[in-house]
Amino acid sequence: MIGAGILKGMAVTARNFVGSYFEKERLITVQYPEERSPLPENYRNFPILIYDTDDAEAGLRCVACKICEKECPPQCIYIIKSEDKKPDYMGKPQFYPAVFDIDISVCMSCQICVEVCPFEAIKMDKVFELSTRERFDALLQRKGELSKSNTYYHSIHPIEAAEVDAKLAEAAAKKKPAAPAAPSPAGTSPKSSPT
Ligand code: SF4
Ligand code: SF4
């Protein structure tokens, strides 16, 4: 019959329209900003720098290797490497970023910086309410604003952050010097063979 498809479609629309007054699960409107839909684990917006411990300076994982700066397609990362070194989160002396800026008006949220970082130092945030009235300086995020704790990272990407923690713990365990061998019992030599 001509128009049967249109009638079926209208019936579905009418059922949903009327149902939305009586069935709560049909109410899909979210009263933003008082209500917010949960964001999926893999949602991403702009990059942030992760630090361990409670100290954003001392615990910063970034060692200013500049790989992300080189690989960023629109070149919106700007880093100045420190002159001196400080212990990193594992106690090893490392350079650190004296300056680390990201121009989020240019960033295209591609996540390439995250993928190329060998130190798990840069990750993607989920904050999207970053609009400002000004176009330039206000959209330049500096090291202080970019630095977020590992606890925060866990709160936004729990599965990914747990995997990163496990990977870092494994790498740290491999770097630990092997425990000294137990001393041989008195009177025996490790090289002597039974006769
Ligand atoms: S997400 Fe992409 S565009 Fe944005 S800073 Fe990282 S590499 Fe650059
Ligand atoms: S965020 Fe990673 S890739 Fe970028 S400079 Fe720091 S350590 Fe290097």
Side-chain angles (χ1 to χ4, degrees), residues 19 26 48 88 180:
R26 286 181 188 264
I48 48 173
D88 68 2

Side-chain angles (χ1 to χ4, degrees), residues 111-153:
Q111 196 176 246
I112 287 176
C113 51
V114 175
E115 282 159 22
V116 298
C117 176
F119 298 93
E120 306 289 352
I122 188 165
K123 299 291 172 193
M124 300 304 281
D125 202 357
K126 286 186 172 180
V127 174
F128 53 85
E129 293 151 318
L130 294 166
S131 58
T132 62
R133 286 177 180 273
E134 295 78 33
R135 163 73 175 76
F136 296 107
D137 266 7
L139 289 169
L140 195 62
Q141 298 244 315
R142 301 187 188 280
K143 188 171 80 171
E145 297 152 285
L146 293 170
S147 300
K148 303 281 177 193
S149 68
N150 194 28
T151 310
Y152 174 78
Y153 177 37

Side-chain angles (χ1 to χ4, degrees), residues 57-58 60 62-65 79-88 92-99 143:
E57 274 292 321
L60 204 64
C62 176
V63 298
C65 69
I79 301 169
I80 297 180
K81 192 194 240 179
S82 63
E83 302 272 317
D84 58 330
K85 287 187 176 182
K86 70 163 179 63
D88 68 2
K92 192 176 164 197
Q94 294 277 16
F95 290 108
Y96 59 93
V99 174
K143 188 171 80 171

Side-chain angles (χ1 to χ4, degrees), residues 64-79 81 112-113 116:
C65 69
K66 294 191 168 207
I67 294 174
C68 58
E69 186 188 56
K70 284 193 194 88
E71 297 293 331
C72 172
Q75 297 286 286
C76 62
I77 302 180
Y78 177 67
I79 301 169
K81 192 194 240 179
I112 287 176
C113 51
V116 298

